[in-house]
């Protein structure tokens, strides 16, 4: 399967715990995006990387959230001291970009986080 | 303010019937518009992508239209099937660099 993969698919954690999600993009894609999606809503942008550089972060990305893409390939999203409001689907997408232009995004299956 | 609004929020139709979903946007500068299908608990999957100069594009039973003057798009589904039950999300790109998502239309096709 050469699509975008995410791990884990589901995560249940207790409030206050830290969680980390992983995203493996399509191999030739240089851009990687993280989104959060709550029930009945469209995805909300969190952050994106161009290769290993994190170029933009949304105001939704509080200081409890950190994302990395150390070698320009896979990425991790960590949430520290989770809160119940963090419960959502976390989606990763990747795309190929040339200069400042990004082509179609391909989404992964998402990681469903439940904070109890 | 860059926004994408979709209507209706939800829709129930009988199998075999047609339906049309709407997307209005205020995103500028406009680059392209995509329609995605998202099954429950899965990531979105692209259906169509349209640039400024394209008025209509088809993908099987899905036909998307774009009116760049009025900043409106529609997705028409013909002869609906049970497997069409999903959320349909409109995404507008600005400067080929930023993506603005609608809240989606939840379609339920009943037998």
């Amino acid at each position: 399967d050469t699509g975008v993969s995410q791990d884990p698919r589901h995560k249940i954690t207790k409030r206050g715990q830290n969680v980390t999600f992983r995203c493996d993009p399509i191999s030739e894609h240089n851009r990687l995006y993280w989104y959060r999606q709550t029930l009945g809503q469209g995805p909300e942008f969190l952050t994106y990387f161009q290769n290993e550089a994190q170029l933009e972060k949304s105001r939704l990305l509080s200081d409890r959230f950190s994302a990395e893409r150390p070698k320009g390939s896979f990425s991790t999203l960590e949430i520290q001291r989770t809160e119940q409001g963090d419960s959502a689907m976390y989606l990763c997408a990747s795309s190929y970009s040339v200069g400042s232009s990004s082509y179609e995004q391909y989404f992964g299956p998402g990681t469903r986080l439940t904070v109890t | 303010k860059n926004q994408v609004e979709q209507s209706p929020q939800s829709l129930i139709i009988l199998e075999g019937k047609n339906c049309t979903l709407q997307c209005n946007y205020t995103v500028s500068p406009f680059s392209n518009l995509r329609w995605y299908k998202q099954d429950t608990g899965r990531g979105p999957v692209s259906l169509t992508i349209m640039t400024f100069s394209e008025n209509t594009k088809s993908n099987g039973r899905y036909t998307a239209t774009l009116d760049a003057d009025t900043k409106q798009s529609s997705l028409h589904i013909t002869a609906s099937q049970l497997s069409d039950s999903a959320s349909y999300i409109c995404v507008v790109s600005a400067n080929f660099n930023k993506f603005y998502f609608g809240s989606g239309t939840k379609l339920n096709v009943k037998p």
Side-chain angles (χ1 to χ4, degrees):
Chain A
D1 186 351
T2 57
V4 179
S5 62
Q6 292 186 245
D7 184 70
R9 294 292 307 279
H10 304 275
K11 177 72 176 177
I12 301 174
T13 190
K14 292 186 177 180
R15 191 177 55 184
Q17 298 293 306
N18 300 342
V19 294
T20 300
F21 310 141
R22 176 180 170 125
C23 171
D24 286 88
I26 294 171
S27 58
E28 61 268 24
H29 284 182
N30 50 4
R31 279 212 184 166
L32 187 148
Y33 303 79
W34 284 101
Y35 294 90
R36 182 174 72 185
Q37 186 178 27
T38 54
L39 205 61
Q41 299 296 315
E44 297 172 293
F45 170 78
L46 291 178
T47 186
Y48 87 93
F49 293 83
Q50 174 95 3
N51 299 311
E52 65 275 11
Q54 189 172 18
L55 295 189
E56 188 172 343
K57 293 193 289 186
S58 160
R59 280 174 287 183
L60 292 174
L61 213 66
S62 74
D63 54 8
R64 296 185 298 107
F65 288 70
S66 62
E68 293 182 344
R69 193 182 184 200
K71 297 181 181 178
S73 55
F74 74 91
S75 175
T76 58
L77 177 68
E78 181 183 15
I79 308 175
Q80 296 182 327
R81 305 181 302 281
T82 52
E83 301 172 356
Q84 287 186 319
D86 296 331
S87 295
M89 173 81 88
Y90 290 84
L91 291 166
C92 174
S94 71
S95 70
Y96 178 71
S97 72
V98 176
S100 61
S101 299
S102 178
Y103 297 95
E104 182 171 353
Q105 294 183 325
Y106 292 83
F107 283 85
T111 293
R112 167 75 63 191
L113 173 66
T114 302
V115 181
T116 62
Chain B
K1 186 178 179 184
N2 292 311
Q3 283 187 314
V4 178
E5 294 185 353
Q6 293 187 242
S7 62
Q9 199 169 26
S10 62
L11 184 61
I12 300 173
I13 62 173
L14 292 177
E15 186 179 11
K17 298 296 185 183
N18 303 337
C19 67
T20 300
L21 315 180
Q22 299 290 342
C23 173
N24 296 341
Y25 62 92
T26 58
V27 176
S28 181
F30 176 87
S31 299
N32 54 53
L33 183 147
R34 300 173 168 94
W35 282 93
Y36 284 89
K37 178 187 179 187
Q38 186 176 24
D39 293 315
T40 301
R42 309 293 292 270
V45 174
S46 177
L47 293 174
T48 65
I49 177 170
M50 302 178 71
T51 59
F52 186 87
S53 59
E54 295 175 301
N55 299 118
T56 185
K57 184 168 279 190
S58 292
N59 177 3
R61 294 180 297 103
Y62 300 102
T63 299
T65 66
L66 174 65
D67 186 334
D69 292 330
T70 62
K71 299 188 177 182
Q72 295 179 325
S73 176
S74 66
L75 180 69
H76 186 74
I77 304 175
T78 304
S80 60
Q81 300 176 358
L82 298 179
S83 59
D84 292 332
S85 294
S87 289
Y88 292 83
I89 301 173
C90 175
V91 183
V92 182
S93 171
N95 268 338
F96 295 100
N97 202 19
K98 283 185 175 288
F99 300 92
Y100 296 90
F101 288 74
S103 298
T105 292
K106 188 173 176 63
L107 175 64
N108 189 359
V109 180
K110 289 186 173 283

